[in-house]
Every structure is written in C-alpha cells, then in structure tokens.
C-alpha cells in the first residue's frame, strides 16, 4: 500500500509494546540497522523498517490495547522472521555490539515440494524479549 511520497506501507505490521522506548529504538536502529519512517511522542512511537520489513514500536502504557498483563519475555509463542538481502552485515553488527544470540547463525533446509530451499538464519531477543529471526534465502 502506498500512502504518501511513494513510501510503501505493508498491509500487516506488528506493533510491539516496549518497556523503555529509547532503549528499544536504539537497539533497532543503531544495532540492527532499522530506519525510522515515522516518529511520534506522547506516547513514544516509531514506525521503522529494514528493507521491506516493517515494525512499529510503542512505549508501554496501561491505557494501550493490552489484552493481559505483559510479563517478560514479551511475545511468547511468536517469532518475527525478517528476510534480508545480506545476513552477514546484520550478523556482524549484532556480534560487534555483543548481543546474545538465541540461536547461532546456521543454514536451515526446507522441503518446498519440488526442491529443497536453504535459508541462512540466526535468532535473537530484543530488550523486551521479542524473538527476532533474521534470514536470507540461499540459492
């Protein structure tokens, strides 16, 4: 969906409640390399992207759309797969910043019918525990 200035807005974008907005925004932008598309204050909010992957971050508030008490790690039962063009660039950034990995960089193979696909991937948790899976399709 294109709304303005030829910016592409995905039709489904996860919005993550975060406990310390400045820490989370720094993690996503300075460590992982996301860019800020939209920034708002009160409550703190950012719409961010890494290539075509988009997320929203919002400072946790008791007035927000909370369906239950948030207990760390947040996002239990879900991982966010973020497809990238060059996983090594992001992996080096993560290692340079001493981020603990949930799962090391490895190649995973998937049977997709008429052939086996290879996906290079690693997983980490953001400051609130959301599980992020960075992946690159390997021919």
């Amino acid at each position: 969906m294109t709304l303005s200035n030829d910016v592409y807005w995905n039709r489904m974008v996860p919005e993550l409640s975060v406990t310390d907005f400045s820490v989370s925004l720094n993690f996503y932008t300075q460590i992982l390399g996301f860019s800020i598309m939209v920034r708002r204050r009160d409550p703190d909010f950012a719409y961010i992207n890494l290539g075509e992957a988009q997320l929203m971050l919002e400072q946790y508030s008791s007035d927000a759309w909370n369906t239950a008490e948030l207990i760390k790690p947040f996002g239990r039962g879900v991982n966010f797969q973020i497809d990238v063009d060059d996983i090594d660039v992001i992996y080096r950034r993560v290692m340079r910043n001493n981020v603990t990995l949930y799962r090391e960089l490895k190649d995973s193979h998937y049977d997709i019918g008429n052939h086996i696909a290879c996906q290079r991937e690693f997983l980490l948790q953001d400051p609130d525990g959301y599980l992020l899976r960075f992946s690159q399709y390997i021919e």
Side-chain angles (χ1 to χ4, degrees), residues 56-72:
M56 295 180 282
L57 305 174
E58 184 170 43
Q59 175 63 48
Y60 171 79
S61 165
S62 60
D63 296 335
W65 301 330
N66 303 311
T67 57
E69 181 182 3
L70 288 177
I71 300 170
K72 287 186 178 182

Side-chain angles (χ1 to χ4, degrees), residues 5-131:
N5 301 332
D6 297 324
V7 175
Y8 179 81
W9 304 87
N10 288 335
R11 291 182 179 262
M12 181 175 170
V13 181
E15 181 172 336
L16 309 180
S17 294
V18 299
T19 56
D20 188 327
F21 183 81
S22 60
V23 167
S24 291
L25 188 61
N26 182 70
F27 179 81
Y28 280 92
T29 58
Q30 301 304 308
I31 295 176
L32 299 179
F34 279 75
S35 299
I36 299 172
M37 298 171 66
V38 174
R39 176 77 165 85
R40 179 191 77 209
R41 290 177 178 22
D42 197 24
D44 281 318
F45 169 88
Y47 198 117
I48 60 176
N49 75 296
L50 181 65
E52 293 179 19
Q54 298 175 354
L55 288 173
M56 295 180 282
L57 305 174
E58 184 170 43
Q59 175 63 48
Y60 171 79
S61 165
S62 60
D63 296 335
W65 301 330
N66 303 311
T67 57
E69 181 182 3
L70 288 177
I71 300 170
K72 287 186 178 182
F74 292 176
R76 295 178 199 176
V78 67
N79 75 74
F80 298 100
Q81 179 173 308
I82 302 166
D83 289 330
V84 296
D85 294 328
D86 188 349
I87 198 165
D88 293 326
V89 169
I90 297 168
Y91 183 77
R92 283 192 301 271
R93 291 177 74 124
V94 166
M95 292 295 93
R96 193 170 46 245
N97 285 280
N98 299 315
V99 175
T100 301
L101 295 182
Y102 184 83
R103 189 171 89 183
E104 288 290 332
L105 182 67
K106 72 175 224 171
D107 289 353
S108 297
H109 298 87
Y110 301 96
D111 184 347
I112 58 171
N114 57 352
H115 71 282
I116 303 294
C118 180
Q119 190 168 282
R120 185 160 294 147
E121 58 192 16
F122 69 92
L123 287 83
L124 58 83
Q125 289 179 278
D126 83 350
D128 286 300
Y130 292 108
L131 189 58

